[in-house]
Amino acid sequence: MFRTKTVEQSIRDTEEPEHSLKKSLSALDLTVFGVGVIIGTGIFVLTGKVAKETAGPATALAFVAAGIVCALAALCYAEFASTVPVAGSAYTFSYASLGELVAWIIGWDLVLEFALGTAVVAVGWSGYVRSLMDNVGWTMPEGLSGPDVASGFGFDILAFALVLILTAILVLGMKLSARVTTVVVAIKLAVVGIVIVAGMFFIKASNYSPFIPEAEPQPAGSGLDAPLVQLIFGYEPTNFGVMGIFTAASVVFFAFIGFDVVATAAEETKIPQRDMPRGILASLLICTLLYVAVSIVVTGMQHYSELSVSAPLADAFKAVGHPFYAGVISFGAAIGLTTVCMILLLGQTRVFFAMSRDGLLPRFFSVTHPRFGTPYRPTILLGVIIAIVAGFTSINELATLVNIGTLFAFVVVALGVIVLRRTRPDLHRAFRTPWVPLLPIVSVAASVWLMLNLPAETWLRFGIWMVLGVIIYFAYGRRNSRMAKEV
């Protein structure tokens, strides 16, 4: 259960002709992927909710705090991705450092995280597109715009079609995926830039007062809806004040989810030892700066107490007499979610492919396309399943599972850096995480703290999924593992 797969063996597996991925990505491609998956609805929606309910104008500081937590994890990911340039991200890293059972658990966790994330984002994208269609007088036929709230029946044809189209793009090759992502990310960044620059002309200094509003207790949660930290320690987070900034950070952190997906493309990178750290850290830095800039602008345009929760940027422009920008922002959000969806799907297929190549899942799924060099079998399988889920299901209430899955991966990767430094000090590390073991330990503590701020219900659902994964491992993966057969 705790046998490890050496870094050398992991790299040798990538050289098998039928099971190798085509190397075509540069540092710029990786940065674009990172920015493409990180910037989604968070920058357009989350800012207003946090500013109005938790931190006020100090939301900018909350984004900085959340960015620091992600940077700690990113430094750990950068070392692993440059040392073990193999598909699978945290799964592969765990196999090389913490053992097969831990690797399976984290792989199973990532499958849930990316699949659920793709479906949720596709449903969100469909909502933005329908809103834009309504603006020009087009209406989707009844029954094809998602499950009805009352009856539960219906099919979201837009979400279904989006996932299938993106699946086809991913099958046709990583370079095509990178080109599509580059174009879409350029449009998305242009929209964000327009919002920032245009909004600066409507900032009022009085809206920043007070910058850190006076602290007040949060409404107490109850039962499984309450944060786990409250149930265990009796700790009650506060809204506003200095502690409100850290409470807000646990919320806005979720706007950063996705940079770890960059690590899943390590095997398809031309020079991973150099380009993986650059891609991971550059995308995180760019997105943090954009988030801070947007939060400063929106809280300067309109007093935090008056901000809209559902569409803060769009409504802020309406409040200053410029509704045109509301349409621009909706367009940017719809465009932005396209890349988020595609890159999450990319990440899931690479983790699934890596687990299959190791025998923990059927080896049938680890054969790459002879022409395109992509893992086409798991891509088609997962793409169709996720498209159906996105079409038939309204699963917004499960979105927090994506968050706990990401934080769990952060914890495992940080611990893996410490272990691999001790067990394999001889490995060449093109990038070295600074201040080991202190920095990884701080990363673990920060990630665990954010996990504890999630509802107990999320922990329960996550636990059930993990138990199911362990059962599958002992029923299939442990006996069919390539490592077991080589012993």
Side-chain angles (χ1 to χ4, degrees), residues 32-42 44 114 117-122 125 162 166 181 184-185 188 255 257-258 261 291 332-347:
V32 169
F33 273 138
V35 173
V37 73
I38 296 171
I39 295 183
T41 52
F44 300 107
F114 294 149
T118 304
V120 170
V121 170
W125 176 87
L162 173 68
L166 296 179
T181 303
V184 175
V185 168
K188 178 164 56 175
I257 284 178
V261 180
Y291 281 158
I335 288 293
L337 290 182
T338 306
T339 55
V340 176
C341 195
M342 183 172 73
I343 300 168
L344 285 173
L345 181 58
L346 163 75

Side-chain angles (χ1 to χ4, degrees), residues 63-85:
F63 274 115
V64 171
I68 291 173
V69 173
C70 290
L72 294 173
L75 289 168
C76 297
Y77 269 91
E79 174 169 326
F80 260 127
S82 61
T83 307
V84 193

Side-chain angles (χ1 to χ4, degrees), residues 312-324:
L313 268 69
D315 289 346
F317 277 105
K318 288 179 182 178
V320 295
H322 289 271
F324 165 78

Side-chain angles (χ1 to χ4, degrees), residues 106-291:
I106 196 63
W108 186 246
D109 162 59
L110 291 175
V111 167
L112 172 70
E113 174 194 340
F114 294 149
L116 193 58
T118 304
V120 170
V121 170
V123 172
W125 176 87
S126 174
Y128 274 107
V129 172
R130 290 198 304 272
S131 175
L132 289 171
M133 292 171 64
D134 290 341
N135 289 342
V136 296
W138 297 349
T139 305
M140 290 292 298
E142 189 174 350
L144 293 180
S145 57
D148 181 73
V149 176
S151 65
F153 293 101
F155 186 75
D156 194 333
I157 188 67
L158 292 177
F160 175 80
L162 173 68
V163 176
L164 289 186
I165 291 170
L166 296 179
T167 298
I169 292 173
L170 289 174
V171 168
L172 292 175
M174 278 295 284
K175 199 60 186 176
L176 175 61
S177 305
R179 287 170 181 164
V180 172
T181 303
T182 300
V183 173
V184 175
V185 168
I187 296 172
K188 178 164 56 175
L189 291 180
V191 171
V192 173
I194 290 170
V195 169
I196 294 171
V197 174
M200 289 173 62
F201 291 96
F202 305 107
I203 290 176
K204 293 182 180 178
S206 59
N207 288 332
Y208 291 127
S209 180
F211 189 75
I212 303 179
E214 187 176 347
E216 58 185 50
Q218 263 192 23
S222 60
L224 293 177
D225 292 333
L228 192 64
V229 66
Q230 181 178 324
L231 297 179
I232 296 177
F233 303 109
Y235 169 78
E236 296 187 8
T238 63
N239 289 335
F240 308 114
V242 175
M243 291 307 298
I245 295 173
F246 294 101
T247 301
S250 69
V251 178
V252 300
F253 162 81
F254 307 134
F256 289 91
I257 284 178
F259 79 84
D260 55 320
V261 180
V262 177
T264 65
E267 192 174 326
E268 294 157 278
T269 304
K270 294 176 183 176
I271 311 176
Q273 292 79 5
R274 180 195 69 189
D275 292 342
M276 285 306 302
R278 291 181 180 181
I280 292 172
L281 297 172
S283 59
L284 182 60
L285 176 61
I286 291 169
C287 293
T288 301
L289 293 175
L290 289 175
Y291 281 158

